[in-house]
């Protein structure tokens, strides 16, 4: 018997919807099974779901949008999953629109110690799908979370098999490490919504603020911050993600302290952070996400605690093509690019013969060395410097895109020469 392909269907309910998540999930599953449509990553148009007036009414009254996600991450991916191949997994959630709230480390401090979001948040809506990596990085992170939950539920003895609920993403700036952490937190809060009825929370720690300008106060600030995190984790119905961006700022401080270039208070801060991480690993409803731009500065004591040490590098040509295509698709959506023909995806069989796709591949090849962050600026620069009108054709924009890449390459070469 053929193995079914997991198809994750995520249903965002409307803010005022009061129906139980499970009732919505059952109804959507019933509609999909009745319609027997094929699946690919993206938003499912309501018009394609049903012709039944009552079902239409149910959808319009209760559902914001329905999205199929992470088919591309499947090892069986071939662009489209037919209905009979699909193992449908429907998840329902509501977005929180309150935004992130900052909290100061101390009344005397001017730098916020952390920023807190209630998940899933409108701030991160669509972030996960916007991230493009050529390896199975996203699917591996989701599988890691699945195994973490399975081992906890199965009461696996952590003294025999060790896992710390810590992820370390490292690599050059602009490759999407922090965005991937936030996107993963959002995605897990959605996928685990039925498991954690109180919802999810993301705590982004400002590592620099943990070092107080007052000598010997830093350790107290660390304990105060993590004591709040422990209080959140004590709610077994809540899922908590802790993000420590640029974690090398902590571990590098400890190395400097050991070399005599930093006060001993720095050692106490780092030791306190590592101790708190060790304590949190016993809580099944927490994941610690960390990033670093400088791998040589990461202390081995911390590296040893990370279950996953994932390098996030610059995108290859396929990734660059996909990122640029997503930017072009957005400009088509808002009407800045107007054309009846859309550029096919990298996986689409028509891409090898499509003129626009071939031209975009040439541009993507010229973008070697650019990070994902830099790539998403190129379409803006193309319009600003070489289009300069409210709308244009696809032909003109692709021409402008190539010129913008040439200009950006020239500017970067000049900067390197001036170093």
């Amino acid at each position: 018997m053929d193995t079914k392909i997991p198809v994750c269907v995520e249903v965002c309910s409307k803010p005022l919807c009061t129906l139980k998540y499970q009732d919505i999930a059952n109804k959507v599953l019933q509609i999909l099974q009745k319609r027997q449509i094929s699946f690919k990553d993206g938003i499912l148009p309501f018009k394609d779901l049903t012709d039944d007036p009552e079902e239409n009414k149910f959808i319009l009254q209760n559902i914001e949008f329905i999205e199929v996600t992470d088919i591309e991450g499947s090892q069986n991916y071939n662009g489209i999953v037919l209905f009979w191949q699909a193992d449908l997994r429907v998840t329902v959630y509501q977005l929180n629109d309150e935004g992130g709230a900052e909290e100061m480390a101390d009344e005397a401090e001017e730098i916020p110690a952390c920023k807190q979001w209630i998940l899933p948040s409108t701030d991160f809506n669509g972030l996960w799908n916007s991230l493009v990596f050529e390896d199975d990085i996203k699917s591996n992170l989701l599988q890691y979370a699945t195994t973490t939950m399975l081992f906890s539920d199965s009461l696996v003895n952590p003294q025999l098999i060790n896992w710390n609920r810590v992820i370390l993403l490292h690599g050059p700036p602009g490759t999407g490490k922090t965005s991937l952490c936030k996107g993963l937190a959002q995605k897990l809060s959605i996928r685990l919504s039925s498991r954690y009825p109180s919802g999810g929370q993301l705590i982004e720690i400002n590592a620099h603020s943990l070092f107080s300008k007052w000598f010997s106060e830093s350790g107290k600030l660390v304990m105060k911050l993590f004591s709040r995190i422990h209080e959140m984790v004590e709610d077994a119905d809540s899922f908590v993600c802790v993000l420590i961006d640029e974690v090398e700022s902590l571990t590098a401080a400890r190395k400097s302290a050991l070399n005599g270039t930093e006060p001993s208070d720095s050692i106490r801060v780092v030791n306190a952070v590592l101790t708190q991480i060790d304590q949190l690993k016993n809580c099944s409803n927490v994941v610690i996400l960390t990033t670093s731009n400088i791998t040589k500065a990461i202390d081995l004591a911390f590296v040893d605690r990370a279950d996953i040490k994932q390098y996030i590098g610059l995108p290859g040509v396929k990734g660059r093509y996909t990122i640029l295509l997503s930017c072009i698709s957005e400009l088509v959506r808002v009407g800045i690019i107007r054309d009846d023909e859309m550029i096919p995806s990298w996986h689409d069989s028509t891409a090898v013969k499509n003129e626009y796709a071939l031209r975009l591949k040439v541009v993507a090849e010229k973008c070697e060395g650019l990070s994902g962050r830099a790539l998403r600026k190129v379409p803006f620069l193309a319009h600003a410097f070489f289009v300069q009108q409210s709308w244009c054709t696809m032909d003109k924009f692709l021409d402008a895109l190539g010129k913008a890449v040439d200009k950006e390459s020239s500017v970067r070469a000049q900067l390197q020469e001036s170093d």
Side-chain angles (χ1 to χ4, degrees):
M1 184 175 66
D2 292 336
T3 304
K4 294 274 190 176
I5 300 174
V7 173
C8 296
V9 180
E10 298 176 354
V11 181
C12 180
S13 67
K14 290 193 171 181
L16 299 179
C17 176
T18 57
L19 296 179
K20 293 181 179 179
Y21 285 179
Q22 190 57 54
D23 291 340
I24 298 175
N26 291 340
K27 186 65 176 179
V28 169
L29 182 59
Q30 178 186 5
I31 292 172
L32 293 175
Q33 289 174 335
K34 179 179 175 182
R35 192 68 171 180
Q36 296 192 5
I37 62 174
S38 297
F39 299 95
K40 62 180 180 179
D41 284 344
I43 302 294
L44 284 177
F46 287 169
K47 63 181 179 62
D48 294 341
L49 294 180
T50 179
D51 297 324
D52 185 289
E54 287 300 317
E55 291 177 344
N56 269 321
K57 182 180 178 181
F58 169 83
I59 291 173
L60 294 175
Q61 285 183 344
N62 299 291
I63 297 175
E64 202 75 55
F65 58 85
I66 301 175
E67 185 173 19
V68 176
T69 180
D70 293 327
I71 289 180
E72 187 167 347
S74 169
Q75 294 179 349
N76 304 90
Y77 173 72
N78 61 356
I80 294 177
V81 176
L82 301 178
F83 179 82
W84 60 268
Q85 298 174 306
D87 174 17
L88 293 178
R89 303 177 181 182
V90 180
T91 303
V92 182
Y93 66 98
Q94 274 185 356
L95 290 171
N96 183 283
D97 61 0
E98 293 181 6
E102 292 184 341
E103 180 172 329
M104 300 300 171
D106 191 82
E107 293 181 358
E109 298 292 319
E110 299 177 354
I111 302 175
C114 66
K115 194 168 183 178
Q116 178 181 350
W117 287 268
I118 298 175
L119 300 175
S121 170
T122 53
D123 286 358
F124 309 131
N125 185 32
L127 176 60
W128 179 260
N129 291 338
S130 73
L131 298 169
V132 178
F133 303 101
E134 292 186 40
D135 297 326
D136 295 330
I137 291 174
K138 294 201 293 185
S139 59
N140 288 342
L141 290 176
L142 290 175
Q143 285 300 321
Y144 163 80
T146 300
T147 298
T148 296
M149 296 299 169
L150 174 64
F151 275 41
S152 297
D153 291 345
S154 303
L155 301 179
V156 173
N157 188 341
Q159 303 303 323
L160 298 177
I161 299 179
N162 183 258
W163 71 101
N164 295 300
R165 309 178 195 281
V166 178
I167 295 172
L168 170 63
L169 305 180
H170 62 96
T175 52
K177 299 181 296 297
T178 303
S179 294
L180 181 55
C181 286
K182 292 177 178 178
L184 177 63
Q186 175 93 336
K187 181 62 63 175
L188 291 177
S189 70
I190 292 172
R191 297 283 174 87
L192 300 172
S193 58
S194 60
R195 181 188 181 102
Y196 298 107
S198 296
Q201 298 185 69
L202 171 63
I203 311 298
E204 181 179 15
I205 294 176
N206 183 344
H208 302 287
S209 72
L210 295 179
F211 294 97
S212 173
K213 61 184 176 182
W214 307 108
F215 183 74
S216 79
E217 288 295 310
S218 298
K220 294 179 182 178
L221 297 179
V222 171
M223 296 304 296
K224 179 180 177 181
L225 176 58
F226 274 91
S227 134
R228 167 144 186 217
I229 293 173
H230 277 286
E231 289 177 6
M232 296 176 184
V233 172
E234 284 177 3
D235 179 4
D237 290 335
S238 179
F239 178 68
V240 180
C241 290
V242 180
L243 168 57
I244 307 177
D245 211 4
E246 298 181 4
V247 73
E248 73 273 4
S249 63
L250 297 177
T251 54
R254 187 163 81 160
K255 285 185 176 181
S256 299
L258 292 173
N259 291 333
T261 58
E262 292 287 342
S264 59
D265 188 43
S266 297
I267 296 181
R268 287 195 289 270
V269 171
V270 179
N271 287 342
V273 171
L274 294 177
T275 299
Q276 293 301 316
I277 289 175
D278 288 341
Q279 292 180 4
L280 285 173
K281 79 174 186 177
N282 297 318
C283 305
S284 63
N285 58 333
V286 65
V287 173
I288 299 173
L289 311 168
T290 67
T291 72
S292 175
N293 294 331
I294 311 172
T295 54
K296 292 182 180 179
I298 304 176
D299 192 277
L300 289 178
F302 176 80
V303 173
D304 193 47
R305 284 166 169 79
D307 301 325
I308 293 181
K309 295 165 275 288
Q310 176 65 57
Y311 177 75
I312 309 293
L314 298 174
V317 63
K318 182 174 70 172
R320 299 194 294 267
Y321 178 97
T322 304
I323 291 172
L324 291 174
L325 178 56
S326 71
C327 296
I328 290 173
S329 299
E330 176 63 11
L331 294 179
V332 170
R333 185 187 72 83
V334 300
I336 292 177
I337 298 177
R338 299 181 186 177
D339 204 292
D340 294 333
E341 183 181 358
M342 190 56 203
I343 303 176
S345 69
W346 181 277
H347 298 285
D348 197 312
S349 59
T350 64
V352 294
K353 296 181 180 179
N354 184 281
E355 179 189 350
Y356 289 160
L358 294 174
R359 288 172 64 183
L360 185 59
K361 285 183 179 180
V362 171
V363 174
E365 289 169 354
K366 292 165 65 174
C367 291
E368 186 173 0
L370 294 185
S371 67
R373 180 191 299 161
L375 283 166
R376 293 195 179 278
K377 291 180 182 178
V378 172
F380 173 84
L381 299 176
H383 188 279
F385 295 133
F386 304 108
V387 176
Q388 300 179 340
Q389 59 191 58
S390 60
W391 69 273
C392 67
T393 63
M394 186 73 75
D395 178 70
K396 182 170 183 177
F397 191 81
L398 287 174
D399 182 60
L401 200 64
K403 292 178 180 178
V405 172
D406 292 337
K407 181 179 177 66
E408 182 69 8
S409 299
S410 175
V411 168
R412 287 173 177 261
Q414 292 173 356
L415 286 172
Q416 290 180 349
E417 289 175 2
S418 63
D419 289 342

